[in-house]
């Protein structure tokens, strides 16, 4: 992996390593860890045939400041090929060069799409210790701590002032029923002083879906923070959306016999990009049972009316739009509610496909489903003359502030007693043009 922190330059490299004995406390712990590793080795490998749109929200906080200042929003395509992550500008060709060569300044880094998980579950570079049952965000989970020595998984930091290979450690959580990977945390805090970095923390959230006969696990979201010796914090909040399997076989062309120089000669076929500010009306095709559905389940909608630019019909009425459930969470409150995030990613038009990058503007009025939630709280007014206003309720509208707004993802609030998002739900979206960051 390679990171860059302005005005520092930080390079992070992670290499494969031989399997290391895990040394847990009991045979039961050893068996559990072995099952989790074996399951996720397959599940992570099943996503090697995917590309995703990577959206990086970059921010920075000065040493004495209270809040982060957003620097910019970066979008690139990412794919995993063997022990590498390859990148491309949206709609462009993948190149065998680090992400630091695509974007300069601020914190920029790769590795969270798959390389860290590979090091722990595929390359066998980590020692592990089972810590027991530990709920994760309200759901049952198994916690395992791990550590990777600098002699095995080489985590190399390089800045303008120094270079060092460091150890890293962390925790990962598994679903106790399926052994699916839920989250992985990475920490580095023993950094030689010449590098001028105090600590690094990375949090990676995963989603798992059925892919043929296997379960496929891929990164959904990650948060990277780098603290400098002076107390300045650089942050990258990364979301992976619009993920799809390769539409064409990727062919490699090597520069010499030992394959040391690899260039991508043909990359997965990219879908067409819609221009911005197009009005797109969708109707949900199948109901979503919020009691039995899960994140990663497929969803489908149809286009209600022709989508036109100034010259022609781009998307005809009746075209199918596919996607997945992005979030599905029950929230406490007065009253409680269910938060559902629907991610639409692809429009199929005959033999062609279009990338669906748009923002949900509104939905038709429907009982129990809104685009914001009303939270009611009891209020008591005291010291009011003549006893006026001695009691009552305060009603607050809640429209959540998400990590960053994701194109193609719309959020719905369902009343606590709602059992489904019905087929026929009508939604209005506005397309967003993906502007290349390339200079």
């Amino acid at each position: 992996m390679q990171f860059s922190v302005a005005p520092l330059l930080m390079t992070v490299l992670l290499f494969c390593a031989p399997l290391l004995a895990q040394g847990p406390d009991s045979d039961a712990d050893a068996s559990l860890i072995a099952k989790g590793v074996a399951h996720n080795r397959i599940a992570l490998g099943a996503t090697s045939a995917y590309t995703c749109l990577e959206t990086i929200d970059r921010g920075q906080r000065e040493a004495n400041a209270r809040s982060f200042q957003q620097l910019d929003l970066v979008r690139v395509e990412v794919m995993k090929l063997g022990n590498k992550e390859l990148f491309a500008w949206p709609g462009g060709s993948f190149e065998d060069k680090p992400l630091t060569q695509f974007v300069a300044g601020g914190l920029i880094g790769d590795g969270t799409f798959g390389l860290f998980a590979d090091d722990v579950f595929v390359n066998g570079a980590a020692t592990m210790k089972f810590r027991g049952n530990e709920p994760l965000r309200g759901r049952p989970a198994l916690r395992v701590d791990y550590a990777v020595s600098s002699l095995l998984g080489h985590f190399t930091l390089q800045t303008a002032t120094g270079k060092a290979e460091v150890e890293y450690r962390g925790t990962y959580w598994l679903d106790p029923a399926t052994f699916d990977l839920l989250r992985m945390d990475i920490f580095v805090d023993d950094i030689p002083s010449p590098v001028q970095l105090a600590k690094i923390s990375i949090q990676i959230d995963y989603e798992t879906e059925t892919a043929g006969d296997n379960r496929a696990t891929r990164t959904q979201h990650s948060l990277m923070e780098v603290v400098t010796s002076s107390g300045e914090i650089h942050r990258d909040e990364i979301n992976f959306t619009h993920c799809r399997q390769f539409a064409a076989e990727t062919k490699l062309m090597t520069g010499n016999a030992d394959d040391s120089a690899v260039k991508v000669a043909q990359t997965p076929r990219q879908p067409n990009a819609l221009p911005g500010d197009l009005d797109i009306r969708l109707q949900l095709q199948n109901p979503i049972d919020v009691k039995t559905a899960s994140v990663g389940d497929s969803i489908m909608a149809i286009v209600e009316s022709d989508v036109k630019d100034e010259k022609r019909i781009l998307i005809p009425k009746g075209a199918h739009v596919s996607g997945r459930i992005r979030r599905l969470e029950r929230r406490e409150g007065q009253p409680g509610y269910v938060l559902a995030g629907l991610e639409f990613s692809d429009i199929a038009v005959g033999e062609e496909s279009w990338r669906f990058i748009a923002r949900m503007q509104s939905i038709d009025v429907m009982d129990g489903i809104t685009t914001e939630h009303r939270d009611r709280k009891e209020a008591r007014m005291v010291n009011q003359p003549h006893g006026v206003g001695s009691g009552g309720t305060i009603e607050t509208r809640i429209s959540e502030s998400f990590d960053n707004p994701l194109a193609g993802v719309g959020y719905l609030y369902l009343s606590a007693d709602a059992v489904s998002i019905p087929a026929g739900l009508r939604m209005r979206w506005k397309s967003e043009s993906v502007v290349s960051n390339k200079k």
Side-chain angles (χ1 to χ4, degrees):
M1 282 84 70
Q2 294 197 2
F3 297 170
S4 143
V5 183
L8 304 176
L9 172 65
M10 178 170 64
T11 303
V12 182
L13 303 174
L14 183 62
F15 299 102
C16 301
L19 180 67
L20 189 69
Q22 294 159 345
D25 291 339
S26 69
D27 291 341
D29 292 350
S31 176
L32 187 147
I33 290 176
K35 288 179 181 178
V37 169
H39 172 81
N40 285 287
R41 181 184 295 117
I42 296 172
L44 291 164
T47 60
S48 60
Y50 278 83
T51 67
C52 294
L53 181 68
E54 180 174 343
T55 301
I56 310 170
D57 188 356
R58 306 199 300 169
Q60 179 177 319
R61 192 179 79 185
E62 301 296 332
N64 298 321
R66 294 185 176 181
S67 59
F68 281 86
Q69 177 184 3
Q70 186 184 42
L71 298 179
D72 57 19
L73 201 66
V74 176
R75 285 197 179 106
V76 292
E77 300 278 352
V78 59
M79 65 178 287
K80 182 171 170 287
L81 191 64
N83 62 351
K84 291 185 177 183
E85 289 179 7
L86 303 181
F87 298 91
W89 296 114
S93 298
F94 286 93
E95 301 180 52
D96 183 25
K97 63 181 184 181
L99 186 56
T100 52
Q101 293 186 27
F102 281 77
V103 184
L107 169 65
I108 197 75
D110 57 8
T112 62
F113 188 56
L115 300 186
F116 276 111
D118 275 4
D119 202 51
V120 173
F121 295 99
V122 179
N123 303 330
T127 58
M128 307 181 203
K129 186 176 182 64
F130 179 57
R131 293 296 187 183
N133 295 283
E134 181 178 280
L136 180 67
R137 294 174 179 168
R139 64 180 294 180
L142 304 175
R143 172 179 170 172
V144 179
D145 290 350
Y146 70 90
V148 177
S149 167
S150 60
L151 299 177
L152 297 175
H154 292 287
F155 200 165
T156 304
L157 307 182
Q158 182 176 350
T159 70
T161 59
K163 178 179 179 180
E165 291 185 356
V166 297
E167 297 183 355
Y168 67 96
R169 57 185 172 81
T171 298
Y172 65 81
W173 289 262
L174 304 176
D175 184 297
T178 63
F179 288 100
D180 292 340
L181 179 62
L182 303 176
R183 189 173 111 185
M184 185 174 176
D185 288 353
I186 299 106
F187 300 102
V188 180
D189 52 16
D190 186 11
I191 303 174
S193 57
V195 182
Q196 295 188 7
L197 298 176
K199 62 181 179 179
I200 301 168
S201 63
I202 305 172
Q203 176 185 305
I204 309 174
D205 297 305
Y206 297 87
E207 62 179 353
T208 302
E209 62 186 56
T210 301
D213 296 330
N214 296 320
R215 302 276 287 168
T217 297
R218 65 171 180 258
T219 305
Q220 183 184 61
H221 167 268
S222 67
L223 178 66
M224 298 191 300
E225 288 192 354
V226 173
V227 182
T228 68
S229 298
S230 62
E232 186 176 78
I233 302 176
H234 298 263
R235 170 188 285 179
D236 278 4
E237 188 131 22
I238 306 171
N239 282 278
F240 299 92
T241 60
H242 301 80
C243 297
R244 58 180 57 80
Q245 288 182 297
F246 291 171
E249 182 181 356
T250 299
K251 298 181 180 179
L252 298 181
M253 181 172 60
T254 58
N256 51 42
D258 64 2
D259 293 345
S260 61
V262 179
K263 296 182 179 180
V264 178
Q266 180 181 340
T267 57
R269 180 180 176 182
Q270 299 280 24
N272 299 317
L274 286 171
D277 296 325
L278 297 178
D279 189 62
I280 305 176
R281 309 288 177 123
L282 299 183
Q283 187 175 103
L284 190 65
Q285 193 169 24
N286 301 310
I288 300 172
D289 188 331
V290 298
K291 292 184 178 180
T292 60
S294 61
V295 172
D297 286 355
S298 298
I299 56 175
M300 186 72 70
I302 58 172
V303 178
E304 279 199 313
S305 56
D306 292 342
V307 179
K308 306 176 182 179
D309 63 5
E310 296 178 354
K311 301 179 180 179
R312 61 191 175 104
I313 295 176
L314 297 177
I315 309 296
K317 177 181 177 180
H320 286 78
V321 186
S322 60
R324 297 192 179 277
I325 298 175
R326 179 75 186 203
R327 294 178 74 162
L328 197 59
E329 304 170 11
R330 289 197 171 273
R331 301 295 181 88
E332 300 296 329
Q334 299 178 355
Y337 61 97
V338 176
L339 171 66
L342 308 184
E343 177 189 350
F344 291 100
S345 56
D346 293 280
I347 308 175
V349 181
E351 297 297 321
E352 291 188 311
S353 65
W354 295 76
R355 176 181 287 121
F356 186 88
I357 297 182
R359 297 197 186 281
M360 190 169 71
Q361 304 296 302
S362 62
I363 63 173
D364 278 5
V365 176
M366 185 166 289
D367 290 342
I369 303 177
T370 63
T371 55
E372 60 184 20
H373 171 68
R374 296 175 183 269
D375 189 22
R376 294 177 175 85
K377 297 181 180 180
E378 294 292 331
R380 293 189 176 277
M381 308 298 290
V382 296
N383 299 326
Q384 296 294 323
H386 312 295
V388 176
S390 59
T393 62
I394 296 176
E395 185 175 81
T396 304
R397 291 183 178 183
I398 297 176
S399 182
E400 300 195 21
S401 175
F402 298 101
D403 301 327
N404 53 57
L406 300 178
V409 181
Y411 296 96
L412 303 176
Y413 297 83
L414 287 72
S415 61
D417 56 353
V419 295
S420 69
I421 302 173
L425 175 69
R426 302 173 68 190
M427 301 164 283
R428 177 174 170 265
W429 297 72
K430 184 75 70 173
S431 68
E432 180 179 89
S433 176
V434 177
V435 179
S436 172
N437 298 85
K438 187 174 182 179
K439 300 297 185 181

